[in-house]
């Protein structure tokens, strides 16, 4: 009953209306005040920042306007690795009440830390993000983001609790059990990576569970790039509205930016806590609003781990077009991928998410794929492994025809010629968290 009453007010519900709809000038003044404080805090308490600022001959007091941020040095992932594990912390270790870390598959893990105040603000920002995407107090949130060192599980968990939801703390894996509990508990909101959400939907169908006609109505999907084609697939498959949510552990975790349910077009970046810039990754110069480049973020309120001009490697653009939801915070347009995910195939730049956009929704194909990279002489070659949906003709001729059709389609949409391998239903590996989209065999090829 409470949920139904709240649903009538869904369009007007905001978690922190005053700050979410703040006039731009007031928001800028707040950012400037907080930016000064965070620069002072970083310079005074983190030897790494002190020496970087000194080398660049800048002092926190040199910041007179927000645009002066361009004179301050960037922070890179390698800076966190070089200061492993705790040397980037700006508060004594005993004030750090929690750490998270990256998996560290490509070197030392990146360790991030939070004070009590940081955790409080994070839960608030996640609650704001959930409300922005249309979740309501009193709803049941099924959380299939991984719990542990990854920020997804605990980040979503405390945010949903803060909003006043009932949280089901599932973590990833055990997909049949996930389906059973979504259905038995009558979950309203699903949190998962988009690739894992597809997996859940597929397993539900195989179990004969119709989630489309269940109370499930909303999904918060992020932690990996995904396309609008995937959004359409998930919305149809699960009978939900699919909301894009963005974040990264170095800055906070999930809850840095989130789409509003009214427009689902660009993610409101929470500017009272973060300063967003987009730079040209080659010249490192800031780009005007609207131009595409690398997202750079400065935290404005983090105590344990202030990040000054953190280069995310994520490629996007900002939009300051007014939004019908009434929020004034800038929109971060869908992140197409990281600059280090970009493939160069015979001179053409390709992001895996562009291949995804071409494949998902293609007749007869399931939304599962992997890109295999090999070396042919001096050139990189790309083969895309795609999968047939069940119950379509799958003889040799059918598969070669499908391969030719998909190849043409990718060529016309993405501009590259690639090999296609058509696999049988279930043959492309399924995701339980962040999907592995690229298998790089170039070092093994001759
Ligand atoms: O993935 C935090 C998160 C958890 C975000 C749950 C959303 C939901 P990391 O493991 O540090 O943190 O990975 C961060 O993932 O730099 C992007 O490259 C990518 N990413 C995150 N959200 C999106 C998104 C979490 N909505 C890295 N679209 C980021 C595209 C995303 N890429």
């Amino acid at each position: 009953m409470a949920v139904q009453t709240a649903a009538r007010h869904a369009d007007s519900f905001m978690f922190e209306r005053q700050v979410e709809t703040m006039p731009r000038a007031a928001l800028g003044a707040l950012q400037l005040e907080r930016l000064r404080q965070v620069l002072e805090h970083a310079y005074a308490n983190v030897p790494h920042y002190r020496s970087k600022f000194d080398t660049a001959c800048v002092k926190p007091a040199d910041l007179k306007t927000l645009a002066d941020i361009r004179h301050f040095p960037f922070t890179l992932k390698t800076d966190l690795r070089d200061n492993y594990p705790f040397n980037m912390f700006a508060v004594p270790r005993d004030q750090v009440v929690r750490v998270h870390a990256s998996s560290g598959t490509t070197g030392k893990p990146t360790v991030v830390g939070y004070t009590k105040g940081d955790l409080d603000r994070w839960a608030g920002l996640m609650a704001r993000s959930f409300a922005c995407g249309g979740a309501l107090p009193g709803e049941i949130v099924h959380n299939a983001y991984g719990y542990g060192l990854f920020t997804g599980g605990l980040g979503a968990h405390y945010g949903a609790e803060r909003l006043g939801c009932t949280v089901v703390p599932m973590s990833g894996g055990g997909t049949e059990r996930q389906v059973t509990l979504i259905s038995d508990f009558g979950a309203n909101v699903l949190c998962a990576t988009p690739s894992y959400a597809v997996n859940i939907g597929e397993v539900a169908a195989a179990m004969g569970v119709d989630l489309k006609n269940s109370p499930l109505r909303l999904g918060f999907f992020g932690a990996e790039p995904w396309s609008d084609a995937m959004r359409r697939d998930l919305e149809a498959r699960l009978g939900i509205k699919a909301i894009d949510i963005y974040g990264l552990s170095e800055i906070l975790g999930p809850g840095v930016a989130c789409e509003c349910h009214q427009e689902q077009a660009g993610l409101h970046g929470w500017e009272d806590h973060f300063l967003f810039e987009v730079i040209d990754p080659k010249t490192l110069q800031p780009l005007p609003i609207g131009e595409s480049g690398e997202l750079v973020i400065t935290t404005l309120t983090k105590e344990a781990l202030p990040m000054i001009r953190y280069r995310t490697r994520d490629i996007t653009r900002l939009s300051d077009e007014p939004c019908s939801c009434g929020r004034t915070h800038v929109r971060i347009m869908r992140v197409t991928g990281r600059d280090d995910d970009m493939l160069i195939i015979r001179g053409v730049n390709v992001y895996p998410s562009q291949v995804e956009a071409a494949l998902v929704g293609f007749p007869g194909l399931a939304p599962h794929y992997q890109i295999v990279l090999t070396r042919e002489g001096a050139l990189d070659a790309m083969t895309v492994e795609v999968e047939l949906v069940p119950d379509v003709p799958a003889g040799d001729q059918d598969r070669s025809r499908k391969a030719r059709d998909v190849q043409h389609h990718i060529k016309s949409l993405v501009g590259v010629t690639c090999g296609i391998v058509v696999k049988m239903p279930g043959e492309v590996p399924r995701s339980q968290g962040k999907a592995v989209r690229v298998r790089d065999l170039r070092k093994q090829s001759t």
Side-chain angles (χ1 to χ4, degrees):
M1 197 60 195
V3 171
Q4 281 170 7
T5 316
R8 272 187 248 128
H9 300 292
D11 277 350
S12 58
F13 182 73
M14 278 192 202
F15 192 65
E16 294 169 295
R17 176 174 294 278
Q18 217 182 348
V19 74
E20 291 177 53
T21 59
M22 214 176 204
R24 297 284 319 160
L27 197 49
L30 178 68
Q31 286 191 305
L32 184 59
E33 182 193 322
R34 290 184 168 176
L35 184 56
R36 283 203 186 105
Q37 285 165 5
V38 79
L39 290 174
E40 294 284 358
H41 177 53
Y43 188 74
N45 297 302
V46 184
H48 169 82
Y49 282 124
R50 177 175 285 264
S51 85
K52 284 275 280 281
F53 288 15
D54 287 347
T55 309
C57 297
V58 279
K59 293 258 181 302
D62 296 334
L63 185 104
K64 306 283 186 237
T65 67
L66 286 176
D68 289 336
I69 191 67
R70 69 176 61 200
H71 305 304
F72 288 81
F74 293 108
T75 306
L76 302 168
K77 200 179 188 76
T78 48
D79 293 323
L80 281 159
R81 295 222 172 103
D82 294 346
N83 287 284
Y84 176 84
F86 300 149
N87 287 343
M88 289 290 276
F89 290 173
V91 297
R93 214 265 312 126
D94 63 1
Q95 288 178 29
V96 175
V97 297
R98 192 185 316 152
V99 294
H100 281 280
S102 69
S103 57
T105 41
T106 52
K108 282 245 188 266
T110 313
V111 180
V112 297
Y114 305 77
T115 63
K116 216 161 172 288
D118 289 333
L119 289 184
D120 185 59
R121 282 181 290 277
W122 185 13
L125 284 175
M126 267 310 284
R128 194 197 281 184
S129 301
F130 277 129
C132 180
L136 294 166
E139 292 198 299
I140 297 181
V141 175
H142 182 103
N143 186 12
Y145 283 122
Y147 281 65
L149 288 174
F150 174 53
T151 51
L154 289 173
H157 182 105
Y158 286 108
E161 281 189 0
R162 177 68 61 87
L163 183 61
C165 298
T166 305
V167 183
V168 185
M170 283 302 292
S171 201
T175 311
E176 290 196 356
R177 189 138 184 268
Q178 304 252 9
V179 171
T180 303
L181 296 192
I182 291 172
S183 168
D184 289 356
F185 293 175
N188 309 107
V189 178
L190 172 65
C191 297
T193 59
S195 56
Y196 191 43
V198 174
N199 189 351
I200 290 175
E202 220 177 37
V203 170
M207 290 166 69
V209 175
D210 181 8
L211 293 180
K212 282 196 288 297
N213 289 318
S214 79
L216 195 66
R217 64 173 194 91
L218 205 55
F220 285 84
F221 303 130
E224 62 186 4
W226 56 304
S227 58
D228 271 326
M230 189 65 98
R231 187 205 302 272
R232 287 190 292 276
D233 179 282
L234 281 165
E235 292 192 331
R237 186 182 291 275
L238 298 171
I240 58 167
K241 188 174 260 208
I243 301 290
D244 193 3
I245 182 162
Y246 170 82
L248 61 167
S249 47
E250 293 86 341
I251 295 300
L252 181 79
V256 173
C258 188
E259 280 181 341
C260 58
H261 64 99
Q262 289 92 339
E263 294 217 350
Q264 292 179 281
L267 299 84
H268 290 285
W270 304 125
E271 289 183 277
D272 50 331
H273 293 275
F274 309 105
L275 181 73
F276 299 103
E277 300 171 80
V278 169
I279 62 162
D280 178 329
K282 294 211 175 63
T283 66
L284 304 185
Q285 292 308 307
L287 292 170
I289 197 147
E291 282 190 29
S292 183
E294 179 182 341
L295 183 66
V296 169
I297 309 179
T298 300
T299 61
L300 299 176
T301 52
K302 283 282 284 296
E303 292 167 343
L305 189 66
M307 277 286 140
I308 310 300
R309 303 195 84 200
Y310 184 71
R311 288 188 58 184
T312 65
R313 317 299 300 263
D314 290 327
I315 301 299
T316 184
R317 64 188 173 83
L318 301 179
S319 164
D320 58 0
E321 295 278 306
C323 187
S324 64
C325 72
R327 289 177 182 82
T328 49
H329 295 232
V330 74
R331 276 183 280 177
I332 297 171
M333 303 317 279
R334 190 185 270 290
V335 171
T336 40
R338 299 168 56 78
D339 73 345
D340 35 12
D341 287 344
M342 193 183 75
L343 314 169
I344 304 181
I345 306 298
R346 290 166 210 265
V348 181
N349 298 349
V350 184
Y351 285 103
S353 62
Q354 288 173 282
V355 174
E356 174 180 305
L359 290 179
V360 176
F362 193 89
L365 290 188
H368 304 288
Y369 65 96
Q370 270 193 336
I371 295 171
V372 183
L373 295 177
T374 48
R375 194 115 185 112
E376 284 172 6
L379 296 175
D380 287 341
M382 174 169 111
T383 302
V384 183
E385 296 182 349
V386 299
E387 185 182 300
L388 292 176
V389 292
D391 306 324
V392 293
D396 286 350
Q397 283 189 352
D398 304 304
R399 284 159 68 161
S400 358
R401 196 173 319 117
K402 183 68 76 192
R404 270 197 314 276
D405 292 349
V406 174
Q407 190 183 45
H408 282 143
H409 189 60
I410 291 181
K411 171 79 183 160
S412 66
L413 285 189
V414 186
V416 287
T417 302
C418 54
I420 303 291
V421 175
V422 178
K423 301 207 147 195
M424 295 302 284
E427 280 184 357
V428 171
R430 297 300 190 257
S431 149
Q432 302 208 326
K434 296 190 191 234
V436 178
R437 295 301 191 196
V438 179
R439 287 196 340 257
D440 189 348
L441 307 181
R442 282 176 294 187
K443 290 215 175 69
Q444 297 163 31
S445 326
T446 46

